[in-house]
Amino acid sequence: AASALLVSLAGCSSKLSEADVYLAMAKVEQAVQQQDCAAIAHWLAPQAEVVIDMRQADSPEPLRLNKSEYLQLLGASWIAAGSRYSHERSNTRVEMAPGGKTATAYATVRENAALQGQPISSVSDEVATFAMLNGRLQITYVQATMLSMQ
């Protein structure tokens, strides 16, 4: 009976739950608030892709970044903004894929910072895909579509 329980638990670990995804999102949010690139790196899959669509801000093409490029950009952005950076997530919802192998999270993100001493604010819609990889919940894809920038 004990081995059946272990097999059952191991089988469950490959499936996601909505609660798992919300918990992961809270951990990522905490890492963002603390400007902790290493903690964010923990949640990003090795082959994660991040797409930043700033066409609203006259950028002709979306910016496509791998994990390393994204973390470098994030770190540089935080250094430039210093202590004047804030991040707020709202309208969060999670959709589980049939079978529970992946989940997609949706949110609206407002960021405030100072760039060369000038306040700047942006609002983006974000979509993130979560999956179990090697027994760990990880983010495999993120797309941020800028809605406004002031």
Side-chain angles (χ1 to χ4, degrees), residues 126-142:
E126 280 190 8
V127 178
T129 303
F130 290 80
M132 290 299 284
L133 300 174
N134 300 319
R136 262 191 348 118
L137 179 57
Q138 294 191 297
I139 300 167
T140 59
Y141 178 82
V142 176

Side-chain angles (χ1 to χ4, degrees), residues 6-17 20 100-101 131-137:
L6 291 176
V7 169
S8 172
L9 289 173
C12 288
S13 69
S14 67
K15 277 190 163 185
L16 297 177
S17 74
D20 293 334
K101 297 284 186 189
M132 290 299 284
L133 300 174
N134 300 319
R136 262 191 348 118
L137 179 57

Side-chain angles (χ1 to χ4, degrees), residues 31-82:
V32 170
Q33 296 296 345
Q34 295 172 350
Q35 299 183 11
D36 185 346
C37 280
I40 292 170
H42 170 79
W43 291 101
L44 289 172
Q47 303 302 318
E49 180 182 19
V50 178
V51 178
I52 303 170
D53 186 346
M54 297 186 354
R55 285 181 273 193
Q56 184 73 18
D58 295 330
S59 180
E61 293 291 322
L63 185 61
R64 296 183 182 281
L65 305 168
N66 64 30
K67 177 180 179 174
S68 175
E69 293 165 336
Y70 174 67
L71 292 170
Q72 287 175 6
L73 177 64
L74 198 57
S77 298
W78 286 336
I79 288 169

Side-chain angles (χ1 to χ4, degrees), residues 73-119:
L73 177 64
L74 198 57
S77 298
W78 286 336
I79 288 169
S83 63
R84 302 212 25 210
Y85 177 81
S86 69
H87 181 274
E88 178 185 316
R89 185 176 307 277
S90 61
N91 303 324
T92 304
R93 67 184 169 88
V94 172
E95 289 181 6
M96 302 301 298
K101 297 284 186 189
T102 63
T104 304
Y106 301 86
T108 301
V109 174
R110 175 178 296 279
E111 294 176 287
N112 296 295
L115 190 59
Q116 298 175 343
Q118 297 299 313

